[in-house]
Amino acid sequence: MKKCLIILWVALSLCYPMNANAGQGPSASRGRDYYEERGEILWEVPTHSKVIALTFDDGPDEQSTMKILDLLKQHEAKATFFVVGSRVEQHPDIVSRELQEGHEIGNHSYTHPPFHNISGNKLLSELNQTQEAILDATGVKSVLFRPPGGSYNESIVRTSKDFGMLTVLWSWHQDTLDWRKPGVNRIVKKVLDNARNGDIVLMHDFVPNSTQTVEALAIILPELQKRGFEFITISELMSYQENTNKFMEVNH
């Protein structure tokens, strides 16, 4: 996992030198096709291989994240955790465990503010503080970014790129809405009924006063494995892209 992360980091760094709304369709100034064709945002990776990327936002959490890590380990599954910087500072040991067990760490801002109208200075601060928190906890910086609420525009995408990160969202048919606490069965049904090769599934490992995500994951993992799916990280999923280089090209 560390080797894969380092390779992607180097590739992105060469292309992008360092400078100092959940739902069916996140808000944006341009449509999905524009960003997807330019390789600037990743929603999913169409592939004939039975692979899926589980992603967890908003952690780490000393209870939910630990239970999720235990389940992933039990089923030999890998995932990507989009962490909130302020919570990383509170639980660096959990983030360190995530990386040590072969999972990937993504930047999900420092305080999880609304991103639909975020200012340039605030955006820079949110990304930079989280990168530093991840570095302190793991020894590496993230090469992936997911904006809170899935909100994106030219400024957000460009700034993420300037930090050497690829903006990653999720398959629109795989938004579990687990943060709303819809019930374990609804979360399970959302994932299982819509499972497709190359999906990126959106879940959360920090939902206050809720165990629904953990309970749902305990059902989802063995069922999808019975169907032949393998659970991999975002960087691993990108290797299934027919033209992986398009996510690493400089766009002007």
Side-chain angles (χ1 to χ4, degrees), residues 43 62 68 74 81 95 113-114 129-130 132 134-135 166 204 220 228-229:
W43 277 269
E62 57 188 347
I68 287 171
Q74 176 185 340
F81 292 85
V95 182
Q129 287 187 86
T130 304
E132 292 302 320
I134 294 172
L135 178 63
L166 172 69
H204 296 76
I220 291 168
F229 282 100

Side-chain angles (χ1 to χ4, degrees), residues 204-222:
H204 296 76
D205 59 325
F206 176 59
V207 181
N209 303 312
S210 175
T211 61
Q212 291 182 10
T213 301
V214 175
E215 294 176 52
L217 188 64
I219 299 171
I220 291 168
L221 286 170

Side-chain angles (χ1 to χ4, degrees), residues 57-67 69 81-100 105 110 130 132-139 205-208:
D57 290 8
D58 296 359
D61 178 69
E62 57 188 347
Q63 296 183 7
S64 294
T65 307
M66 297 297 279
K67 291 177 181 178
L69 286 171
F81 292 85
F82 286 93
V83 298
V84 173
S86 60
R87 298 192 62 80
V88 173
E89 292 178 348
Q90 296 174 31
H91 308 290
D93 53 322
I94 299 179
V95 182
S96 177
R97 177 187 169 184
E98 290 171 352
L99 189 63
Q100 290 174 4
I105 313 300
Y110 187 76
T130 304
E132 292 302 320
I134 294 172
L135 178 63
D136 289 344
T138 66
D205 59 325
F206 176 59
V207 181

Side-chain angles (χ1 to χ4, degrees), residues 9-20:
W9 166 255
V10 171
L12 285 170
S13 296
L14 289 173
C15 295
Y16 315 133
M18 291 289 288
N19 298 324

Side-chain angles (χ1 to χ4, degrees), residues 217-244:
L217 188 64
I219 299 171
I220 291 168
L221 286 170
E223 175 56 32
L224 287 184
Q225 285 182 325
K226 287 179 183 178
R227 300 184 191 179
F229 282 100
E230 178 184 1
F231 300 98
I232 61 178
T233 67
I234 292 295
S235 291
E236 291 169 336
L237 181 65
M238 287 175 63
S239 70
Y240 288 83
Q241 174 70 39
E242 290 184 4
N243 183 13
T244 303

